[in-house]
Amino acid sequence: MSADYPTWQTQADETWKLSFPVDRATADRIAAGLPEIEALDPAPVLVVSEPDPVQPDAWQLDAYFEGAPEAEALALVQTLSSTGSATPERLPDSDWVTLSQGFLAPIRAGRFFVHTAAHADAVPADAVAFRIEASRAFGTGHHETTAGCLEALDTLANEGARFDRIADVGTGTGLLAFAARALWPDAAVIASDIDPVSIEVVRENMGVNGIAEGSVALAVADGMDAPALAAAAPFDLILANILAGPLIALAPEFARAAQPGAIAVLAGLLESQAHDVLYAYREQGFAPRAHLQRGDWAILVLVQGS
């Protein structure tokens, strides 16, 4: 262990918390997932607080550790700080996961209500609810991009759209695939991710939310490169909440996998990146249908016209 940090005796029933400010760019990186931190065993739960409206770059990170954090894990998390090192504190005995989830307020996006176990008793009677815990995969519904995609799906359903073959590419927790299945229960839905851990998380979330095994097909895939995706194509709805660069790179693959008239819901891009993403998809025959904005984030709803 490094001499820069104290050594604690780890106990499994202890919860430790490390808090410090982060800037907006770091908060976005955390929301998109940090593989080097997710690889820790056990991995800490990272909870990023929304900024004060009058201080848009002032975010806070709370990191929760199961047991006293090892020096290496502590040092890795502290590299995210914008102000230098911070000192962890031991919290009173408690269920560390439930404690950390309690800070994630439920999200209402159209008819959807996304919550953690800590807020299971707050589900509105008229909502389509999903329990999604912050975990090893991105897409809890608490980031603007995921909530914006849920709103886009809700709007498509309200407009009478119908889909038969749906792909959620870069699925993360599986939330968007679950939402699409709830709206169009007769459709064939497949969820894919480049990270095998995400697919494990999707399976866990299916069980938690009472979604029958096999009702959402799962695939580990780099983009559209998987036999299961090829067999399920062509799609009339493609969901991709990833990042602007991969979205641009995937435009030709999405075009080949989309049937004429297909809808693509694209997210994970900043509003400042929307023009470049839209240009890439126009080149592949897609036309804009809707453009949503949540904070600095854009959600593009496109239609394949070729």
Side-chain angles (χ1 to χ4, degrees), residues 131-205:
R131 175 181 155 187
I132 304 290
E133 311 291 348
S135 65
R136 299 166 291 168
F138 176 55
T140 65
H142 296 86
H143 192 269
E144 300 284 12
T145 59
T146 312
C149 288
L150 292 174
E151 288 185 355
L153 291 175
D154 183 73
T155 298
L156 286 168
N158 288 339
E159 293 174 349
R162 296 179 60 86
F163 302 104
D164 297 315
R165 293 175 175 267
I166 301 170
D168 178 13
V169 180
T171 189
T173 61
L175 176 57
L176 297 183
F178 302 164
R181 176 186 172 277
L183 293 172
W184 299 285
D186 295 328
V189 181
I190 185 168
S192 68
D193 202 285
I194 193 172
D195 184 0
V197 171
S198 287
I199 298 304
E200 294 175 12
V201 170
V202 175
R203 286 196 181 94
E204 294 168 4
N205 286 336

Side-chain angles (χ1 to χ4, degrees), residues 24-129:
R24 177 62 179 266
T26 301
D28 292 340
R29 284 177 52 219
I30 294 168
L34 298 172
E36 66 274 18
I37 291 179
E38 293 164 3
L40 295 171
D41 185 21
V45 171
L46 305 183
V47 179
V48 181
S49 303
E50 296 289 343
D52 183 327
V54 300
Q55 294 181 299
D57 201 45
W59 294 65
Q60 176 168 314
L61 171 65
D62 295 308
Y64 295 86
F65 296 84
E66 181 181 12
E70 296 287 341
E72 291 80 3
L74 189 62
L76 185 58
V77 172
Q78 293 209 88
T79 63
L80 302 172
S81 174
S82 59
T83 59
S85 62
T87 302
E89 60 176 322
R90 184 183 183 279
L91 300 178
D93 292 344
S94 59
D95 181 332
W96 77 291
V97 172
T98 300
L99 177 68
S100 63
Q101 302 301 338
F103 290 95
L104 291 176
I107 295 295
R108 186 71 189 252
R111 74 193 69 192
F112 298 108
F113 186 83
V114 186
H115 65 94
T116 64
H119 301 281
D121 58 353
V123 177
D126 63 342
V128 176

